Amino acid sequence: MKKYILQKICLGMSLAVSICLNCCGSVAYAAEEQMEENTIRSCGKIVYSENKTEKCIYDSADIQAVLDCINRQKGVLIQKLLQLGTRFIRTENGWQYLRNPEITVEELPGGKELTWEQIFHAVKDSQTIPGDMVVKEPKIAVQIEGINEVTDFYKAAAADNLSNGKAAWQDGILLLGTGADNEKAYAQGKEDGKKGSYRPDMIPIYAAEEKEVVIRHKHTGSSAETEGWSGCYHNFTTTEVSETVCGATLYQTETTWYPNESEEGGGSWHGGYYTCPWHGGIYETSGTCDSVDIQRTTVWHHDISCGKTDLVYAVLKITGTGEDYLDGKIHLCAELVEREGFANLRPSDEKFVWKNAQGEILGNGAEIIVEKPGLYSCSVVASNEDVNMLTGNTKVIIKGIGW
């Protein structure tokens, strides 16, 4: 009977040593049942031997040390799980773990309060995203091909450099991606594209705004006050005559005696009649002045008599095409589309001139090749003086980037 008890105790000791040795390594293993302090039974020293060769000697203090080591290792693992956002709470059914790192707990379990099975499942779920922490409007991460996996392309995770809807653990903190880095990069790329800035190892893909400029007849000559023709204008005068009745109120003059010895009666009376304050005259009765004023005015006329009002000669059409989208160039093309007045347009043999925004001449002809974004102009060279809008502008932008 004593031999049987001794063998059973020795078997338990071997298992405990095995657990202790394994828990110190990278892989943890334990029996299903948890040892408790009150289950340890030993009287004095136990000698375990095989074939009468002494192997090792245990006593109760050794077994207790093994149990303490196991519980301490459990405690270390519990602390690491806390760093990864795992939380432990005490419930009616014992200790349970949660995956929401925002939950605060005041009480923590000790190593002897959790089974290895509970710890195993907690470790297994330690890298999962909590179900109640849903990222709104998740987006699929864009995978950029052609970038080698070298350390230069890696940096520490942060909430604003992870794609929206993605997550990562850093130093025990769960980071939920906002995609802010992509938005900033996109905005910066647009701004750089407007300025023509791009990485030297990339090839810009250009696009040009299509523009149409209507070439119309422009009246020549002048509307000067000179009789005759001046370009499109016929200058002449006419005389306008108008009559105006005075209509002023007549006033009565004073009666005055003028003595004169040569006259019969020794003199005569003068005045007492009615007259106009502006035109004079003698009226026997009161009333208004009926004098008529005649005004003559010279009026100049500048009639447009060329017959070309609103006449359209042609339409200057500017387009841009990329013959090879990965050569970093774009072809700008100009075309004159005939309209009803095209016969009146007199273009030269080299009828197109291309310039950049600085006014530098880039070339002649219907097509040029440019390699930078910016504003480009094309002018129609014609001997006409009676046309307008002979120049059209087109804006070249970076539409995309290639490798």
Side-chain angles (χ1 to χ4, degrees), residues 270-347:
H270 294 271
Y273 58 86
Y274 293 89
T275 187
C276 175
W278 305 109
H279 296 93
I282 297 175
Y283 294 86
E284 294 181 357
T285 60
S286 62
T288 57
C289 177
D290 56 3
S291 297
V292 177
D293 290 334
I294 298 176
Q295 294 90 25
R296 287 177 173 81
T297 306
T298 300
V299 180
W300 278 98
H301 299 274
H302 311 284
D303 293 347
I304 297 174
S305 305
C306 63
K308 298 178 182 178
T309 303
D310 296 329
L311 182 65
V312 177
Y313 289 176
V315 173
L316 172 60
K317 187 176 181 181
I318 304 175
T319 57
T321 58
E323 302 292 335
D324 180 359
Y325 288 106
L326 296 181
D327 63 354
K329 302 175 183 178
I330 186 171
H331 297 244
L332 298 180
C333 305
E335 177 187 4
L336 271 182
V337 183
E338 298 183 12
R339 290 293 185 262
E340 62 271 19
F342 188 75
N344 298 91
L345 189 65
R346 299 185 296 275

Side-chain angles (χ1 to χ4, degrees), residues 182-197 397-399 401:
N182 291 338
E183 295 175 3
K184 290 178 183 177
Y186 177 73
Q188 186 64 46
K190 286 179 64 177
E191 189 65 25
D192 291 344
K194 291 179 182 178
K195 299 177 181 177
S197 304
I397 61 174
I398 296 179
K399 184 181 180 181
I401 298 292

Side-chain angles (χ1 to χ4, degrees), residues 259-272:
N260 189 348
E261 296 179 355
S262 62
E263 289 185 9
E264 184 179 355
S268 59
W269 291 93
H270 294 271

